[in-house]
Amino acid sequence: MEYTGSQYIGEYVDGRMEGEAEYLLPTETKYVGEMKDGMFHGQGTLYFPNGSRYDAIWEKGLAVKGTYTFSDGLQYDPEHWHYCDGYDRRFYTEICYGLKPAGISQVTNMDPPRKIPEGCYDCGDGFYDPVTRIIKDYRNRFLRNADDDEHEWIIKTCRKGWDEIVGHRPKL
């Protein structure tokens, strides 16, 4: 644990983590549930720092069935997912509480939206700096380095921390 920065609260059997336990990762993600032979095994929940959670059945460290719930209470359903898709572009808060009056835009599910640092992107779990290719959480702590695929996805799809003129520009 001292090498990974993780913390384990629970029982050991033959020197291995086993039984009901709490496992805190250095990212402040917390697992609460059953362990077997040092792995998540049985019923367990991952609690993420942003308030979301993943309830699952685990086998030898792998989730075999689970449900992801966003911090605002929206549950992800891969078979009947109608949140912000091609047919209905409303945010979950707009579905729950209604649309804003004409002329007042809601650009994220969080209203008002987070302020994005200059030169960065909001990639959903933190801010991405395309120069360093580092993603830091919303409290400015390191999350991960973006690989080429994630970098391209963020640049194409995520909200920027600066304004750009789009569309027609009149000739001067």
Side-chain angles (χ1 to χ4, degrees):
M1 297 297 154
E2 65 187 88
Y3 300 112
T4 65
S6 300
Q7 182 181 3
Y8 176 74
I9 302 164
E11 299 175 24
Y12 289 89
V13 174
D14 297 325
R16 309 283 282 180
M17 297 177 280
E18 193 141 328
E20 288 293 319
E22 286 188 22
Y23 189 90
L24 183 64
L25 294 132
T27 61
E28 295 185 16
T29 296
K30 179 169 69 170
Y31 172 80
V32 177
E34 300 171 52
M35 302 282 285
K36 184 176 180 183
D37 198 24
M39 296 178 275
F40 302 166
H41 191 86
Q43 197 76 27
T45 301
L46 282 171
Y47 295 93
F48 299 97
N50 67 1
S52 61
R53 62 188 280 164
Y54 185 64
D55 300 291
I57 297 171
W58 304 81
E59 287 184 14
K60 297 181 181 176
L62 300 173
V64 293
K65 183 178 183 185
T67 303
Y68 184 84
T69 305
F70 294 88
S71 60
D72 60 8
L74 175 66
Q75 278 195 346
Y76 176 69
D77 180 352
E79 294 175 23
H80 301 99
W81 185 247
H82 300 295
Y83 168 71
C84 232
D85 64 12
Y87 300 104
D88 186 351
R89 301 294 299 179
R90 293 177 296 166
F91 291 105
Y92 183 60
T93 52
E94 292 174 314
I95 292 169
C96 292
Y97 306 112
L99 296 172
K100 294 191 174 296
I104 300 174
S105 298
Q106 183 170 336
V107 296
T108 70
N109 195 48
M110 180 184 286
D111 192 37
R114 282 188 182 88
K115 172 98 173 83
I116 304 170
E118 184 73 26
C120 294
Y121 294 80
D122 184 344
C123 59
D125 59 349
F127 297 123
Y128 174 63
D129 183 336
V131 175
T132 62
R133 290 187 149 204
I134 292 175
I135 298 167
K136 292 184 177 180
D137 71 12
Y138 296 121
R139 293 189 282 179
N140 203 32
R141 294 174 305 173
F142 176 84
L143 282 179
R144 65 185 175 279
N145 293 309
D147 63 16
D148 291 341
D149 290 336
E150 187 173 26
H151 170 83
E152 291 302 318
W153 181 84
I154 291 171
I155 299 299
K156 270 196 282 188
T157 60
C158 293
R159 217 166 51 92
K160 301 175 175 99
W162 64 94
D163 291 328
E164 286 182 349
I165 297 172
V166 294
H168 176 72
R169 293 183 190 198
K171 292 183 181 178
L172 299 176

